[in-house]
Amino acid sequence: MLCQLQIRDFAIVEAVELELRPGFTALTGETGAGKSILVDALLLAVGGRADSGAVRHGAERAEVTAVFDVARNPGALAWLVEQEIAHEGEVVLRRSVVADGRSRAYVNGQAMPVQALRTLGEHLLDIHGQLEFQSLARRGYQRDLLDESGRLGAEVAAMRDAFRRWRELDLEREAFAQRLRDRDSRIDLLAHFVAELDALSPQTDEPRLLAEERRRISSVGRLAEGTAQAESLLAGDAGDVAGALGRAQSLLRNLSSLDPELAATERLLEEAAIACREAIANLRRYADSLEADPARQEWVEARLAALEEAARKHRVEPGRLPDLRSELTAELAGLRDGSASLADLERRLETALAERDRVARRLSDARRTAGAALDERVSSLMQGLGMPGGVFATRIELRDPLQCTEHGGDEIEFLVSANPGQPPRPLARVASGGELSRISLALQVATLHATHLPCLVFDEVDAGVGGAVAEMVGRQLKALAESGQVLCVTHLPQVASQADHQVRVSKRTAGGTTRTALEVLEGDARVEELARMLGGTKITPRTREHAREMLEGSQAKAASSGAGSSRARSGRAKSASGR
C-alpha cells in the first residue's frame, strides 16, 4: 500500500507531504485547489509521462517521492529480486523532472529506466479516471480480471503448460526440419569432413605433446651440452661433489662414535650422497638418449602442421579436433536417420497440438461461464452508480482456426452501454471519464474475491452524479477499501462522508505566489469541510448540522455492518488461501 507521498515544485505545489493509511481516503477541496495534481504526481512517481509543464514556475526541477509497503506484495517483491534491489519490505520511488522535460527515476536510491519503473508501478497501484494510462483499457488486464473473477487459476495454469509443451516441440521440429532441408548437401559435407578427420586421426592432447617433442628435438645440442656440464660439476674434475660427500660422510661416521650428536648429520650426508649418485646416473642415461634424428624432427613438424591446418579449417583450437570429430560423426548419423526422427517428432507435436487445443476450448468454456456471471454483477452495480439501463458485457471469441498463445485462444474485450437503447461497444471508446471511473469501480467491487493491487486511486469517480447515486458510489468505495487501500478525489459530501480518512486540498496565494496545501481532517474540521461541500460559500448552522448527521450516519452504518464485513473478509481470505 501507499504509505507516504512527498511532492516538491510540481505544477502549483511548492512542497507537500502526505502520510496515508489503509482504508478509504477521500481527497476534497475547492475546484482548482490541486486535488487531481496529487493524482498526477502519483502517476509520475510510478512511471507516467514527464514534461516541462510539471515543473513549478520559477523552480529548477520537480520531484515526487512515493513510499510503498510491499511486504505482502509478491509481484513487487519478485520484481525487486529480479532487479537485485535491496529492500526491507519497503519501496521508495523517486522521480525528478528538470525544466527542459528530462526526467530521472530511482527505486530505493538506485537509478532505473522509466520503463522499468512503469513495470514496477503496475504491481503497486492502479489509477482509474481521466489519466494517461488505465489498466482497464488493456486487453491483458481485462483477460486477467475475468480469469480471476471466475477463479480460473487451475485452467489458466493448464493452458500455459500445454502451450509451453507444444511450443517446445514445434521449435524442435522446425529446427530439425531446417536441418533436413539442407540434408543432402550437409550429409556430403559432413561425410567429407569426417573422412578427413578419420584419416588425420587426432588424439587427445596430441598437439601439446608434439609441441614439447619439437622443442626437445630442436634443442638437442643445448641439452647435451648442459647435461654434460651438470655431470662434470657433480662427479668430474671440475667439482666431484659426489666424492666430497662420500669423504665427509666417512669422516663423520668415525666422529659420531665419539659424539652421538653427529649421527644425525652423518645420515643427512648419506642421503645427499645417494641422491647425488642417482642424479649423476640420470644425467648419463639422458645424455645417452640424446641423438639428432632429422627424420623424426621432419615428421613431428609435418604432423603439427597438419593438425593446425585442420583446426584453422574448422575454426577450433587444435586440441578440440578429437571432440569435433565425434560431434560431426554424431550429426552425420543423426541426419542419415533423420526421416524416422522427424516422423516421431511430428507425431509427438500432433499429440501436443491436440492437447493444447483441447485445454484452450475448456478454458474458453469456463471463461464464458465466468463472463456471464461477471456481466450480471457489474451491470447490476452500474444501475446503482448513476447509469440506469447500463449494460456490461464480456465479448469472448475463440479464434478460428484456433490460434493459441499461452493465455489461450480467446479474444476477450469488455463492452459497455452506459445509456439505455445503445448497443454495447468497447469500453475505452464509449465511456466518458466519469463513467469509466464508475465502471472501473463496479468491476473492482464485483471481483472483490479476486487478486487486486494493494492501492486503487479513483479520480472524479463521482462526475455527473449526485444524491442517492453519490451515496452508493461512496458505499462501494468503502466496500472496496475493506480488502486494500482506496484513494478517491471527490467533490461530493455523500462520497467523502463514507471515507475512513479525509484530506482537504486547498490553494493559497501570498506575495503573488499560489501554493497548494494539505490538511488531514478530524472531528469538527471534517464536519466543516463536509458543510462547505454541501452549502458552498455560505455555511449555516443547519448546513453544519446536516454535515454532522451525514458523517455520523455513515459511521453508524459502517459500525453496524462491521461484523458482516469481517465475515466477508474472512470468506475472501479463505478463498484466496484455497487457490
Side-chain angles (χ1 to χ4, degrees), residues 512-530:
T513 302
T514 301
R515 295 180 175 86
T516 292
L518 302 178
E519 181 183 0
V520 178
L521 303 178
E522 302 282 353
D524 291 341
R526 187 171 181 185
V527 171
E528 192 71 14
E529 174 66 4
L530 290 174

Side-chain angles (χ1 to χ4, degrees), residues 432-443:
S432 68
E435 288 171 340
L436 182 60
S437 293
R438 277 177 276 147
I439 294 168
S440 301
L441 174 59
L443 267 169

Side-chain angles (χ1 to χ4, degrees), residues 51-52 54 56 70 91 133 146 156 212 222 224 237 289 292 347 367 383 386 397 496 499 503 514 550 555 573 578:
D51 58 56
S52 58
R56 186 174 64 86
V70 296
V91 166
F133 72 82
L146 173 63
V156 170
E212 291 177 356
R222 290 179 57 193
D237 297 338
S289 70
R347 284 193 299 271
R367 280 171 170 165
Q383 311 304 310
E397 293 183 2
V503 176
T514 301
M550 182 179 290
Q555 293 173 345

Side-chain angles (χ1 to χ4, degrees), residues 33-49:
K35 300 183 296 299
S36 292
I37 290 176
L38 297 182
V39 180
D40 293 339
L42 187 56
L43 180 61
L44 181 70
V46 295
R49 185 185 308 155

Side-chain angles (χ1 to χ4, degrees), residues 221-491:
R222 290 179 57 193
L223 290 170
E225 181 181 355
T227 52
Q229 290 177 351
E231 181 187 355
S232 177
L233 288 171
L234 293 175
D237 297 338
D240 193 13
V241 173
L245 287 171
R247 288 191 295 274
Q249 177 191 356
S250 177
L251 178 61
L252 285 180
R253 185 183 301 116
N254 294 328
L255 294 176
S256 62
S257 61
L258 301 176
D259 187 351
E261 286 189 11
L262 292 173
T265 304
E266 184 267 329
R267 285 192 297 272
L268 291 174
L269 286 174
E270 181 182 8
E271 293 171 0
I274 293 172
C276 186
R277 288 193 295 271
E278 289 179 355
I280 293 169
N282 288 342
L283 287 171
R284 287 171 179 169
R285 283 193 299 272
Y286 181 79
D288 292 341
S289 70
L290 289 175
E291 59 176 313
D293 188 349
R296 177 66 181 176
Q297 184 174 7
E298 184 178 349
W299 181 89
V300 169
E301 294 287 354
R303 178 66 176 171
L304 273 173
L307 291 172
E308 289 168 356
E309 181 182 0
R312 282 194 301 272
K313 180 176 182 178
H314 294 283
R315 297 182 180 180
V316 297
E317 293 295 325
R320 276 267 302 141
L321 287 173
D323 293 336
L324 177 66
R325 178 186 180 188
S326 299
E327 292 166 7
L328 296 182
T329 301
E331 184 181 352
L332 179 60
L335 285 175
R336 285 172 173 165
D337 296 335
S339 298
S341 298
L342 182 60
D344 177 62
L345 259 179
E346 288 177 339
R347 284 193 299 271
R348 291 162 57 200
L349 181 61
E350 184 178 354
T351 300
L353 176 62
E355 174 65 10
R356 185 204 73 177
D357 291 350
R358 185 188 69 80
V359 173
R361 290 189 175 92
R362 187 176 65 189
L363 175 59
S364 184
D365 291 341
R367 280 171 170 165
R368 293 179 189 280
T369 301
L374 181 63
D375 295 348
E376 182 179 353
R377 290 197 301 271
V378 177
S379 295
S380 175
L381 285 165
M382 287 171 64
Q383 311 304 310
L385 292 174
M387 289 174 278
V391 175
F392 181 88
T394 305
R395 181 177 66 84
I396 303 172
E397 293 183 2
L398 191 62
R399 300 182 188 96
D400 189 25
L402 192 57
Q403 298 175 356
C404 276
T405 69
E406 62 178 338
H407 304 294
D410 295 311
E411 289 281 358
I412 298 171
E413 187 172 25
F414 288 166
L415 309 176
V416 65
S417 172
N419 301 297
Q422 293 183 347
R425 296 178 58 197
L427 182 150
R429 294 208 299 267
V430 302
S432 68
E435 288 171 340
L436 182 60
S437 293
R438 277 177 276 147
I439 294 168
S440 301
L441 174 59
L443 267 169
Q444 299 289 349
V445 173
T447 57
L448 273 176
H449 64 275
T451 301
H452 286 291
L453 295 179
C455 179
L456 300 173
V457 181
F458 291 88
D459 188 17
E460 306 293 348
V461 70
D462 51 14
V465 302
V469 174
E471 184 176 351
M472 181 59 69
V473 169
R475 289 182 185 179
Q476 300 295 0
L477 288 168
K478 191 173 185 67
L480 188 59
E482 292 178 6
S483 59
Q485 182 186 47
V486 171
L487 278 67
C488 179
V489 174
T490 181
H491 292 279

Side-chain angles (χ1 to χ4, degrees), residues 74-87:
L77 292 173
W79 186 92
L80 291 168
V81 170
E82 180 183 340
Q83 299 294 325
E84 298 181 349
I85 295 178
H87 66 91

